[in-house]
Amino acid sequence: MKESNPLTSIRENSVFKEGDIFVLFGELFGRGYATGLINAAKEAGMTIIGVTVGRRDDTNALRPLTDEELAEAEANLGGKIINVPLMAGFDMDAPEGEKNPTDLVNEMTIDTWQEHKLDWDLIERCREIGVNRFKTSVAEVMTQLDAMIPAGKNVFFAHTMAGGIPRAKVFMAIANRVYKGRGKRYMSSQSLIDSDLGKLILQNFDEVSANTFGHLLDASSDLRARIEGEGGQVRYTAYGYHGTRILIGDEYRWQTYTNYTQGYAKKRLEGIATEAWNNGVKATVFNCPEIRTNSSDVFAGIELSLVPLLSALKKEGGGDWVDAQWAACQALLKDDVSLDSVLQTVRAYQQDPVMVTFSDFEAWPMPNSAEQVDKTVGTSQDIVALHKDRKALVSDLLSTHVVNATGQLMFGEASDPSAPVLWLDHDIVAQQLIASNS
């Protein structure tokens, strides 16, 4: 792919109506993009059905939700959950009596991980077990789902599975250095990718963030044929990240957060959607703008791509609602700090020659550099320090708006999608926000 393919117009839902089925393929946790899409489905009157990743017991064995956990999860979702554990990835899977990949990672230390060699034969066997476990569970989910969908209904599958970081203390220490380390604590992201540890993590990212979409498409093929044979329609969406265009100076330019190690899996996700699309399945990956979520907080400085949305809102039309958002953001800053000065700082950061080097679409995802990390983390810390409360940031408020806008955009576009991979840039996000709040 030589360049991004942006969504350029707001589309209205023309397919989904009251009583149709919305399936969230991934459990709903805390802050995240899925909330906006679920809200759009609820506004259309759709019936919400979800799944769960399950939980681990004291022996780390995967189990369904308890009655209490299920009730809480269904209340959070606003719909019924099929209680079959759909934990993706293979970091906790192993042949009987042998170590799992997380056990192997826990044998590493912060001083030895780069030279540490893994048993790839064992890891491949673990991967096969994890994949087969997941595919078996998806088949059971589809069996139960089939019985829950009446004839003549349209169905919207929303894939939200992402991640794959092993729960190993040593990796969290390494991740903090790769994504946040400055000066003597700086660590090259390429050194992680080149290590056995990095190769393992990339495999697990693929299994969680990308291959699960393929398993969903395959496992639902009979159900899809049944629904379409009865006159209904089926759509699939997934969440990608591949940088987005934001307003830098006076023009929208593509930029990205660096280093986004999961980018390789997101490109694989795009490929799976493209293959499905070429086979006649309406599946679309939407590459969304950066927001702050529970999982993204490990990436220091990700909000530096979010703050310029304020400028995009004015460029795309402004109005009373936009003025109110500017005022709300200004109120979060210390009394002697202007919102304009924060935007100037972010603009200077985005236009810095060091950062411009990383705006190379074809080279994405690029490895970090010591100078880049220093600017990203340093600028982020400086801006956070300008707030009255470090737990109430401008980026938090803007994240909420982006979640709502992307959900509405995805829901409308999915009715009659124009491509298997689309980018939701700041211009269309701003246009959606203005349109829905005017």
Side-chain angles (χ1 to χ4, degrees):
M1 194 174 291
K2 300 294 184 181
E3 60 183 2
S4 65
N5 179 29
L7 181 66
T8 56
S9 61
I10 297 173
R11 308 283 292 280
E12 295 296 328
N13 165 42
S14 59
V15 171
F16 300 102
K17 59 188 182 302
E18 187 165 350
D20 283 342
I21 309 299
F22 178 92
V23 181
L24 186 71
F25 194 72
E27 192 164 344
L28 184 64
F29 292 110
R31 298 177 298 168
Y33 290 103
T35 303
L37 190 50
I38 293 169
N39 288 341
K42 288 178 179 177
E43 288 177 10
M46 298 184 76
T47 298
I48 310 298
I49 300 175
V51 300
T52 177
V53 298
R55 302 291 184 268
R56 298 279 179 184
D57 64 19
D58 293 339
T59 66
N60 276 328
L62 195 58
R63 63 166 177 79
L65 302 180
T66 64
D67 290 344
E68 183 178 352
E69 290 167 340
L70 181 61
E72 183 179 350
E74 289 185 336
N76 183 44
L77 176 66
K80 182 172 177 56
I81 288 176
I82 298 174
N83 196 12
V84 176
L86 279 180
M87 182 74 72
F90 60 93
D91 49 301
M92 296 294 288
D93 292 285
E96 186 68 30
E98 298 192 61
K99 296 178 179 178
N100 64 43
T102 300
D103 294 329
L104 299 180
V105 173
N106 276 324
E107 293 175 354
M108 301 178 182
T109 70
I110 195 67
D111 297 319
T112 64
W113 68 270
Q114 286 181 268
E115 294 76 34
H116 194 109
K117 300 302 178 185
L118 294 171
D119 183 343
W120 288 106
D121 176 68
L122 173 58
I123 287 172
E124 177 58 22
R125 287 185 285 134
C126 293
R127 190 191 69 80
E128 289 179 359
I129 291 171
V131 170
N132 289 334
R133 170 184 53 75
F134 187 84
K135 291 170 70 174
T136 299
S137 296
V138 173
E140 172 59 25
V141 167
M142 291 301 144
T143 296
Q144 294 191 30
L145 184 61
D146 183 71
M148 300 167 69
I149 300 176
K153 299 299 183 182
N154 302 306
V155 180
F156 189 127
F157 287 97
H159 176 279
T160 62
M161 293 185 178
I165 293 176
R167 295 173 178 81
K169 289 183 179 180
V170 67
F171 181 74
M172 296 313 299
I174 294 165
N176 278 328
R177 294 192 181 187
V178 168
Y179 300 121
K180 300 178 182 178
R182 304 169 67 191
K184 292 181 179 180
R185 289 185 55 79
Y186 163 76
M187 185 173 289
S188 166
S189 61
Q190 191 61 45
S191 67
L192 173 61
I193 297 300
D194 292 338
S195 69
D196 272 21
L197 173 61
K199 293 180 175 65
L200 167 63
I201 290 167
L202 290 184
Q203 280 192 22
N204 208 42
F205 285 161
D206 277 349
E207 292 300 339
V208 177
S209 297
N211 295 348
T212 51
F213 193 46
H215 298 323
L216 167 62
L217 292 164
D218 292 341
S220 61
S221 60
D222 289 346
L223 176 58
R224 183 170 66 248
R226 193 263 284 179
I227 292 166
E228 292 175 345
E230 295 167 343
Q233 298 191 51
V234 181
R235 300 289 187 271
Y236 299 85
T237 64
Y239 287 92
Y241 176 75
H242 195 145
T244 50
R245 290 182 180 87
I246 66 172
L247 193 59
I248 301 176
D250 293 324
E251 64 175 325
Y252 290 101
R253 288 162 42 189
W254 183 87
Q255 52 74 59
T256 181
Y257 174 83
T258 300
N259 169 266
Y260 189 67
T261 317
Q262 288 91 328
Y264 300 97
K266 292 300 187 182
K267 289 175 75 172
R268 183 176 180 85
L269 177 67
E270 294 172 358
I272 291 171
T274 300
E275 182 180 359
W277 183 273
N278 292 338
N279 289 325
V281 179
K282 292 187 176 180
T284 304
V285 171
F286 289 88
N287 288 316
C288 294
E290 294 89 339
I291 62 170
R292 291 190 66 229
T293 68
N294 292 341
S295 58
S296 73
D297 281 350
V298 68
F299 304 117
I302 200 167
E303 75 284 353
L304 297 175
S305 298
L306 174 58
V307 174
L309 178 61
L310 284 163
S311 298
L313 286 167
K314 285 198 171 181
K315 182 178 178 66
E316 298 304 322
D320 292 343
W321 183 83
V322 172
D323 290 342
Q325 304 319 302
W326 272 68
C329 289
Q330 177 63 63
L332 297 173
L333 301 174
K334 293 179 178 177
D335 293 340
D336 59 345
V337 177
S338 72
L339 192 54
D340 280 322
S341 69
V342 171
L343 284 163
Q344 289 171 8
T345 298
V346 174
R347 192 176 301 119
Y349 163 81
Q350 295 287 357
Q351 294 176 322
D352 189 289
V354 171
M355 300 312 303
V356 171
T357 301
F358 290 87
S359 295
D360 183 345
F361 184 87
E362 292 187 53
W364 187 86
M366 294 175 66
N368 64 2
S369 74
E371 195 173 9
Q372 170 264 317
V373 174
D374 191 61
K375 289 186 180 296
T376 299
V377 178
T379 305
S380 175
Q381 290 179 347
D382 289 345
I383 289 178
V384 169
L386 299 176
H387 289 75
K388 294 175 181 175
D389 182 351
R390 289 174 176 266
K391 294 183 179 180
L393 306 178
V394 167
S395 53
D396 293 326
L397 188 152
L398 294 178
S399 292
T400 300
H401 293 320
V402 172
V403 164
N404 290 331
T406 54
Q408 293 164 340
L409 288 166
M410 291 171 65
F411 192 75
E413 174 67 15
S415 293
D416 186 19
S418 56
V421 186
L422 291 168
W423 273 254
L424 303 182
D425 296 330
H426 272 195
D427 54 351
I428 196 72
V429 169
Q431 291 167 25
Q432 176 66 61
L433 285 170
I434 292 170
S436 59
N437 288 284
S438 296

